[in-house]
């Protein structure tokens, strides 16, 4: 079954315009999700907004956004007012600026979406914009309203399509130097470097999505499946007392010895 586009509108560059559609490039649909239940009845627990002073439940039509400007003092913003902010960029991705791809640091990239033509008539215009950016190794910078918030976005050619990245806001990105300034400036030990490089070469593999698999997800699914099978069986009493705890790892004092042992272990495994 075809997925429904997350967003539909127009891609515009100067006088060139084409209809496009946007789909999320990632999904969390396969993640294990839980509902909160009442242990006594096993009924689902639902949440409601409650007035913090009166304790009474607030009706949907009485909920409103408020910006705090002082203690118990708010500026009220209606939904219609929020929807009208940056209204021009809700349906059009107008590329006005280009930047070299390698000038946009990874830390600015937030959420990826796949952008593709929404109509066969617009495929030629879409292809021209995509291929021209790819030929110059450039990305397009524009703005788009997503979930009522205007976001800066970056358009990057990728194969037959374009990946649209939402960009983080300027006040969200912290300066790395603030966190790295206490690291010593001394260079790595010349004797240690070859050993580390040897380990890197031995442990290098082509990227595989399995490297980013979620072992907790797999264990949860196994546990859920096991519980399904035991639903009608009486639960066995748990043994009293704590299990044997694993000893805490000791600190490695000599980095050189540790690296040498690692390299020797790698060499032994290759010979076996």
């Amino acid at each position: 079954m075809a997925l429904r586009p997350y967003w539909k509108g127009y891609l515009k560059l100067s006088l060139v315009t084409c209809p496009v559609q946007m789909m999320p490039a990632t999904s969390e649909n396969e993640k294990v999700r839980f509902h909160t239940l009442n242990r006594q009845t096993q009924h689902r627990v639902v949440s409601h907004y409650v007035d913090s002073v009166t304790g009474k439940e607030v009706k949907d039509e009485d909920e409103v956004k408020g910006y705090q400007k002082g203690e118990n003092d708010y500026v009220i913003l209606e939904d219609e007012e929020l929807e009208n902010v940056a209204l021009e960029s809700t349906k059009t991705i107008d590329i006005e600026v280009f930047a070299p791809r390698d000038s946009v640091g990874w830390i600015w990239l937030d959420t990826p979406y796949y952008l593709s033509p929404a109509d066969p008539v617009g495929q030629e215009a879409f292809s021209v914009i995509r291929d021209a950016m790819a030929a110059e190794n450039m990305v397009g910078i524009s703005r788009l309203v997503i979930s009522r918030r205007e976001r800066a976005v970056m358009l990057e050619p990728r194969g037959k399509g374009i990946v649209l990245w939402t960009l983080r806001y300027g006040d969200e990105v912290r300066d790395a130097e603030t966190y790295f300034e206490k690291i010593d400036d001394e260079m790595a030990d010349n004797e240690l470097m070859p050993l580390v490089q040897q380990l890197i070469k031995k442990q290098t593999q082509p990227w595989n999505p399995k490297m980013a698999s979620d072992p907790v997800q797999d264990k949860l699914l196994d546990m859920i499946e096991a519980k399904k099978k035991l639903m009608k069986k009486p639960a066995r009493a748990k043994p009293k007392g704590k299990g044997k705890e694993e000893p805490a790892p000791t600190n490695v004092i000599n980095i050189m010895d540790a690296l040498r042992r690692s390299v020797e272990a790698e060499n032994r495994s290759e010979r076996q």
Side-chain angles (χ1 to χ4, degrees), residues 40-52:
Q40 302 299 325
T41 65
Q42 294 196 10
H43 297 158
R44 283 187 61 182
V45 175
V46 296
S47 59
H48 299 282
Y49 283 108
V50 176
D51 190 296
S52 61

Side-chain angles (χ1 to χ4, degrees), residues 167-185:
L167 301 178
R168 300 185 190 279
Y169 296 101
D171 56 2
E172 292 179 339
V173 177
R174 295 174 174 174
D175 184 9
E177 292 302 320
T178 303
Y179 302 92
F180 297 158
E181 62 183 0
K182 294 183 179 180
I183 301 176
D184 293 338
D185 294 331

Side-chain angles (χ1 to χ4, degrees), residues 24-233:
T26 59
S27 171
E28 296 187 352
N29 290 341
E30 301 304 317
K31 281 192 174 183
V32 174
R33 299 184 184 277
F34 298 101
H35 295 293
T36 301
L37 307 179
N38 180 337
R39 185 188 297 276
Q40 302 299 325
T41 65
Q42 294 196 10
H43 297 158
R44 283 187 61 182
V45 175
V46 296
S47 59
H48 299 282
Y49 283 108
V50 176
D51 190 296
S52 61
V53 177
T54 66
K56 295 182 178 180
E57 185 176 331
V58 180
K59 297 179 180 179
D60 291 346
E61 60 268 25
D62 290 331
E63 294 174 14
V64 66
K65 299 289 191 300
Y67 177 83
Q68 187 171 9
K69 64 176 183 177
E71 187 175 356
N72 298 323
D73 189 10
Y74 297 88
V75 176
I76 303 299
L77 295 171
E78 300 292 344
D79 287 346
E80 294 79 8
E81 294 175 305
L82 295 173
E83 289 173 357
N84 288 330
V85 176
L87 188 61
E88 293 181 358
S89 57
T90 57
K91 288 299 179 182
T92 302
I93 305 171
D94 191 354
I95 308 176
E96 296 182 350
V97 177
F98 291 92
R101 174 61 186 90
D102 56 8
S103 69
V104 184
W106 61 269
I107 199 169
W108 291 97
L109 306 182
D110 189 6
T111 305
Y113 296 87
Y114 293 137
L115 196 68
S116 61
D119 191 306
V121 176
Q123 287 196 13
E124 183 177 8
F126 180 90
S127 299
V128 168
I129 296 173
R130 176 201 63 203
D131 294 347
M133 286 194 295
E136 298 295 328
N137 195 26
M138 293 285 180
V139 292
I141 307 297
S142 184
R143 305 194 74 82
L144 179 65
V145 172
I146 300 177
S147 300
R148 293 186 175 179
R149 295 196 72 183
E150 186 176 87
R151 305 293 302 269
V153 297
M154 183 187 84
L155 289 88
E156 179 182 16
R158 184 71 60 86
K160 294 181 180 180
I162 292 175
V163 175
L164 181 146
W165 286 90
T166 58
L167 301 178
R168 300 185 190 279
Y169 296 101
D171 56 2
E172 292 179 339
V173 177
R174 295 174 174 174
D175 184 9
E177 292 302 320
T178 303
Y179 302 92
F180 297 158
E181 62 183 0
K182 294 183 179 180
I183 301 176
D184 293 338
D185 294 331
E186 62 181 272
M187 300 296 291
D189 191 299
N190 290 333
E191 295 183 13
L192 297 177
M193 280 288 288
L195 293 173
V196 176
Q197 290 172 328
Q198 188 175 349
L199 281 174
I200 291 174
K201 289 179 181 178
K202 288 182 177 297
Q203 295 175 215
T204 297
Q205 299 178 19
W207 163 256
N208 188 315
K210 291 183 179 179
M211 295 178 183
S213 62
D214 184 357
V216 174
Q217 173 93 348
D218 295 336
K219 290 178 182 178
L220 280 173
L221 290 172
D222 291 340
M223 182 172 62
I224 291 170
E225 190 61 33
K227 280 185 171 286
K228 285 181 180 178
K229 295 178 181 178
L230 295 174
M231 286 289 284
K232 296 182 180 180
K233 297 181 180 180

